[in-house]
C-alpha cells in the first residue's frame, strides 16, 4: 500500500501540473508581449518549447540529469510524456469523430471536400518524397545515419506529434534508429514553427500588398443553441453533460483497445503497426457507436441526443493541446545532437514544399476562397487542424467560407487514400529506394485524381473555346446557361 505522500502517488499528477502550468505561462506571454501575440505561434507549441528549454537548462546545471526523470516525476517522466502524446492523439480524433453534421452537402461541396482530402494525401506524399530523398543522400555521406528517417517528415508535419512519435518509436524499436522517437517529435515541433513562421510571413506580405484584410480580432459570441439544443440531454441532470461526452470517448477507446488487442493477437508480426493505428481504429469505434445511437434514436429507444458538438470540440481541442505540449516536452535533445543539421534541412525543405504545393492547389481548385483554403490547408499540413484554424481565423473569423468545414470533412477521403502511405512507411526501412519510387508514382496518381477536371476536360475546353470565338453573338442567358 502506498503512502499518500510518496512520489509514486503524486508523480503523474506533477507531470500534468507541469504541462498545464506551462500552458498558463505561455498564454500569459502570448497576451502580454505584442510580438508573441502577432506571431500566430499556438500557445500549446509555446508551452512545449518553454518546458523543453527548462528541461535543457536543468540538464546542463544538474550534471546531465533529465528533469522529467527525477524521482518527483516517478523517475520515468519522459516515457510518460510519450504515453500522453500517444493516447491524446487517439482521444482527440475520437472526440472529433463523435461530432455530427447537420448540413446537407451539395454536389459542389462534396467535390471540394473530396479534393481537400486528396490534397492532404498528395501533400503527405510530396513531403515523403523530399524527406526520404534528403535522408537517403545523407546516409550515402554518413553510412551510420538511418536513411529512412525522412519518412517521418509527413507524419511530423502532416499529422502532428502523435503520429511522428508512433513511427519514430517503431523505427527505433524495430529497426534500430537510435533516438527515433525524439527525431519524430523534433520534426513535429519544426512543423508547428513552420506553420507559424510561414503563415505570419505570408499574412504580412499579403496585407502589405493589400491582397487581404484580417478579420476583426474580437471574439465571436457563442449562441445558446450550440451549447444546449432542444433535442439534447440537459446540461446538468443526475450526471453532467460533459461527463457523458467523456464517457462516450472512453468507451470508444476501450473498444479500440479490444480491436488492437485482437488484431495484434492474430498478426503478432504487425503488433507495432496495429497499435500505431490507435487513432484510426478509434475513429472507427466512435463512428460505430454514433451509428448505433442514431439507430436507437430512430427506433425511439433513445429519446434524446447524447452527443454535443460544442462540448466535443472543446474536448478534442483539450486533448490536442495536451498532445502538443507533451510531445514537444518529450524531445530528448541529447539524442539529437548529431541530427540537428539534417533536422533543419528537413524543416526548411518541408516548409517550402508544403507552402508552394498547397498554394498552387488552392489557387487552381478553390478559386472562390483560395486564400482561406490555402491558409487552412498549409496550417494543418505543417501542424494540426487547430493550427490551420488559427491561420484561417486571421482572414475568416466567422468561417463564412467553406475552408473550415473542408478541414473537418476531408478526413474520410484522406484516411482512405492515406492508408497505403502508412503501410509504405513500415516497408520503407527494408526497401528505401523502391519505397521512394512508389512514393513518386503514388504522388503522380494522386495529382491525376486531384486535377482530373483540368486533365480530362482539356480537349473539351479547347473545342468550346474555338466555338466561342464569336462571344459577342452569345446572349447573356445563353452564356449563363453554359456557365
Amino acid at each position: 500500500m502506498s503512502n499518500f505522500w510518496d512520489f509514486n502517488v503524486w508523480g503523474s499528477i506533477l507531470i500534468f501540473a507541469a504541462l498545464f502550468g506551462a500552458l498558463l505561462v505561455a498564454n500569459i506571454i502570448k497576451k502580454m508581449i505584442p510580438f508573441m501575440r502577432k506571431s500566430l505561434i499556438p500557445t500549446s507549441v509555446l508551452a512545449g518549447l518553454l518546458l523543453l528549454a527548462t528541461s535543457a537548462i536543468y540538464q546542463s546545471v544538474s550534471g546531465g540529469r533529465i528533469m522529467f526523470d527525477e524521482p518527483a516525476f516517478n523517475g520515468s517522466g519522459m516515457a510518460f510524456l510519450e504515453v500522453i502524446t500517444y493516447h491524446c492523439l487517439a482521444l482527440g480524433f475520437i472526440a472529433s469523430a463523435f461530432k455530427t453534421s447537420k448540413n446537407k452537402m451539395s454536389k459542389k461541396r462534396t467535390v471540394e471536400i473530396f479534393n481537400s482530402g486528396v490534397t492532404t494525401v498528395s501533400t503527405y506524399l510530396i513531403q515523403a518524397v523530399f524527406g526520404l530523398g534528403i535522408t537517403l543522400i545523407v546516409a550515402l555521406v554518413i553510412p551510420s545515419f538511418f536513411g529512412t528517417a525522412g519518412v517521418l517528415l509527413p507524419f511530423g508535419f502532416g499529422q502532428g506529434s502523435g503520429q511522428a512519435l508512433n513511427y519514430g518509436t517503431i523505427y527505433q524499436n524495430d529497426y534500430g534508429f537510435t533516438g527515433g522517437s525524439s527525431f519524430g517529435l523534433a520534426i513535429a515541433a519544426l512543423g508547428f514553427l513552420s506553420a507559424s513562421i510561414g503563415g505570419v510571413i505570408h499574412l504580412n506580405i499579403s496585407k502589405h500588398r493589400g491582397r487581404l484584410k484580417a478579420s476583426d480580432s474580437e471574439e465571436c459570441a457563442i449562441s445558446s443553441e450550440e451549447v444546449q439544443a432542444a433535442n439534447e440531454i440537459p446540461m446538468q441532470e443526475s450526471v453532467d453533460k460533459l461527463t457523458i461526452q467523456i464517457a462516450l470517448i472512453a468507451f470508444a477507446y476501450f473498444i479500440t483497445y479490444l480491436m488492437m488487442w485482437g488484431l495484434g493477437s492474430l498478426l503478432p508480426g504487425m503488433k507495432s503497426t496495429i497499435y500505431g493505428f490507435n487513432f484510426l481504429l478509434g475513429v472507427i469505434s466512435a463512428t460505430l457507436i454514433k451509428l448505433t445511437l442514431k439507430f436507437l434514436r430512430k427506433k425511439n429507444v433513445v429519446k434524446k441526443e447524447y452527443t454535443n458538438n460544442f462540448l466535443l470540440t472543446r474536448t478534442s481541442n483539450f486533448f490536442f493541446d495536451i498532445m502538443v505540449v507533451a510531445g514537444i516536452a518529450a524531445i530528448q535533445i541529447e539524442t539529437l545532437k548529431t541530427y540537428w543539421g539534417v533536422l533543419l534541412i528537413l524543416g526548411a525543405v518541408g516548409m517550402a514544399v508544403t507552402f508552394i504545393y498547397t498554394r498552387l492547389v488552392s489557387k487552381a481548385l478553390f478559386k472562390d476562397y483560395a486564400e482561406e483554403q490555402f491558409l487552412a490547408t498549409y496550417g494543418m499540413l505543417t501542424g494540426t487542424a487547430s493550427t490551420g484554424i488559427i491561420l484561417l481565423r486571421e482572414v475568416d473569423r466567422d468561417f463564412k467560407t467553406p475552408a473550415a468545414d473542408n478541414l473537418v470533412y476531408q478526413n474520410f477521403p484522406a484516411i482512405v487514400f492515406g492508408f497505403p502511405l502508412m503501410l509504405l512507411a513500415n516497408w520503407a526501412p527494408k526497401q528505401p529506394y523502391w519505397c521512394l519510387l512508389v512514393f513518386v508514382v503514388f504522388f503522380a496518381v494522386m495529382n491525376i485524381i486531384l486535377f482530373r477536371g483540368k486533365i480530362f476536360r482539356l480537349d473539351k475546353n479547347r473545342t468550346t473555346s474555338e466555338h466561342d470565338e464569336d462571344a459577342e453573338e452569345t446572349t447573356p442567358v445563353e452564356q449563363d446557361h453554359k456557365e
Side-chain angles (χ1 to χ4, degrees):
M1 178 176 168
S2 299
N3 294 315
F4 289 142
W5 53 83
D6 287 345
F7 283 134
N8 62 349
V9 175
W10 284 95
S12 300
I13 299 297
L14 292 176
I15 290 175
F16 279 107
L19 297 178
F20 290 122
L23 274 169
L24 291 174
V25 172
N27 189 59
I28 292 171
I29 292 174
K30 284 274 289 182
K31 297 295 183 183
M32 293 185 64
I33 301 177
F35 168 75
M36 294 303 301
R37 188 166 58 248
K38 296 177 181 178
S39 69
L40 300 184
I41 182 171
T43 302
S44 55
V45 175
L46 181 58
L49 293 174
L50 288 174
L51 284 178
L52 185 63
T54 304
S55 181
I57 293 170
Y58 182 89
Q59 190 170 359
S60 65
V61 300
S62 64
R65 298 205 308 268
I66 298 174
M67 184 178 74
F68 281 108
D69 282 346
E70 293 286 32
F73 299 112
N74 284 343
S76 58
M78 295 298 283
F80 188 62
L81 287 172
E82 293 184 358
V83 170
I84 292 172
T85 304
Y86 170 78
H87 287 307
C88 282
L89 172 71
L91 292 169
F93 269 98
I94 289 171
S96 298
F98 268 117
K99 293 195 293 184
T100 57
S101 173
K102 298 177 181 178
N103 297 323
K104 294 182 179 180
M105 292 294 175
S106 64
K107 182 179 180 180
K108 180 182 177 182
R109 289 292 300 123
T110 303
V111 170
E112 289 176 341
I113 290 168
F114 177 81
N115 286 343
S116 295
V118 177
T119 301
T120 297
V121 179
S122 296
T123 309
Y124 292 164
L125 289 166
I126 197 172
Q127 289 170 343
V129 168
F130 278 87
L132 182 56
I134 289 169
T135 52
L136 285 176
I137 293 172
V138 173
L140 292 175
V141 179
I142 309 173
S144 61
F145 183 75
F146 186 72
T148 315
V151 177
L152 295 174
L153 182 62
F155 294 108
F157 268 53
Q159 298 189 12
S161 50
Q163 276 297 83
L165 172 66
N166 284 350
Y167 277 90
T169 303
I170 289 172
Y171 289 170
Q172 180 174 298
N173 295 338
D174 296 351
Y175 299 102
F177 180 21
T178 303
S181 57
S182 289
F183 192 93
L185 291 172
I187 288 179
L190 289 172
F192 283 111
L193 292 176
S194 298
S196 305
I197 295 170
V200 169
I201 291 174
H202 174 74
L203 284 169
N204 287 334
I205 291 175
S206 298
K207 290 175 187 175
H208 180 71
R209 293 179 178 177
R211 291 204 300 254
L212 61 88
K213 182 180 180 182
S215 300
D216 189 0
S217 60
E218 293 184 4
E219 291 293 334
C220 301
I222 298 172
S223 65
S224 58
E225 288 78 11
E226 291 182 78
V227 182
Q228 180 64 55
N231 63 331
E232 292 180 352
I233 59 174
M235 181 60 69
Q236 289 181 332
E237 203 175 32
S238 57
V239 62
D240 194 88
K241 193 172 184 176
L242 177 60
T243 306
I244 295 293
Q245 315 304 305
I246 295 175
L248 288 170
I249 294 168
F251 182 57
Y253 204 30
F254 171 69
I255 295 176
T256 302
Y257 173 75
L258 294 180
M259 294 169 67
M260 292 188 296
W261 177 81
L263 291 171
S265 301
L266 292 173
L267 304 167
M270 294 188 64
K271 185 173 287 188
S272 296
T273 303
I274 290 167
Y275 278 86
F277 286 154
N278 64 331
F279 75 101
L280 178 58
L281 294 174
V283 169
I284 295 173
S285 300
T287 303
L288 291 174
I289 294 173
K290 186 168 68 172
L291 290 174
T292 302
L293 288 174
K294 185 178 180 180
F295 173 79
L296 294 175
R297 282 262 297 149
K298 188 176 180 180
K299 295 296 182 180
N300 209 29
V301 176
V302 175
K303 309 293 183 182
K304 294 284 187 178
E305 188 71 53
Y306 275 76
T307 59
N308 176 269
N309 284 0
F310 173 78
L311 294 177
L312 287 169
T313 300
R314 305 281 75 74
T315 306
S316 64
N317 288 347
F318 167 80
F319 286 128
F320 287 140
D321 281 340
I322 296 302
M323 178 193 76
V324 172
V325 181
I328 296 176
I331 297 172
Q332 298 189 41
I333 296 178
E334 284 294 315
T335 63
L336 298 176
K337 280 185 175 179
T338 58
Y339 301 146
W340 279 114
V342 180
L343 282 168
L344 291 176
I345 293 172
L346 285 173
V349 172
M351 179 175 68
V353 167
T354 306
F355 186 99
I356 294 170
Y357 182 72
T358 54
R359 183 76 175 154
L360 291 174
V361 172
S362 298
K363 283 185 172 182
L365 300 180
F366 302 89
K367 294 182 179 179
D368 293 339
Y369 51 99
E371 195 67 36
E372 291 82 359
Q373 179 70 14
F374 161 69
L375 287 169
T377 306
Y378 172 76
M380 178 184 68
L381 291 171
T382 49
T384 62
S386 299
T387 319
I389 292 295
I390 289 171
L391 292 178
L392 177 61
R393 284 175 64 121
E394 291 297 308
V395 295
D396 185 17
R397 177 162 292 274
D398 296 327
F399 301 137
K400 294 178 180 178
T401 67
D405 286 342
N406 290 348
L407 289 188
V408 177
Y409 300 121
Q410 60 84 33
N411 281 301
F412 180 72
I415 288 173
V416 171
F417 286 110
F419 186 73
L421 171 64
M422 298 176 186
L423 297 178
L424 285 170
N426 286 278
W427 177 55
K430 302 174 184 177
Q431 297 287 343
Y433 290 99
W434 277 108
C435 194
L436 178 60
L437 178 61
V438 173
F439 281 146
V440 172
V441 173
F442 194 7
F443 175 71
V445 171
M446 293 305 295
N447 276 273
I448 291 173
I449 295 173
L450 186 60
F451 293 101
R452 61 199 178 279
K454 295 182 178 295
I455 295 172
F456 298 112
R457 294 178 184 175
L458 183 60
D459 292 335
K460 180 181 177 181
N461 290 340
R462 188 179 299 161
T463 303
T464 303
S465 177
E466 290 172 358
H467 285 138
D468 287 346
E469 287 178 353
D470 297 325
E472 296 143 353
E473 298 180 5
T474 305
T475 65
V477 174
E478 290 172 336
Q479 185 66 31
D480 289 341
H481 181 68
K482 288 181 180 180
E483 292 175 355

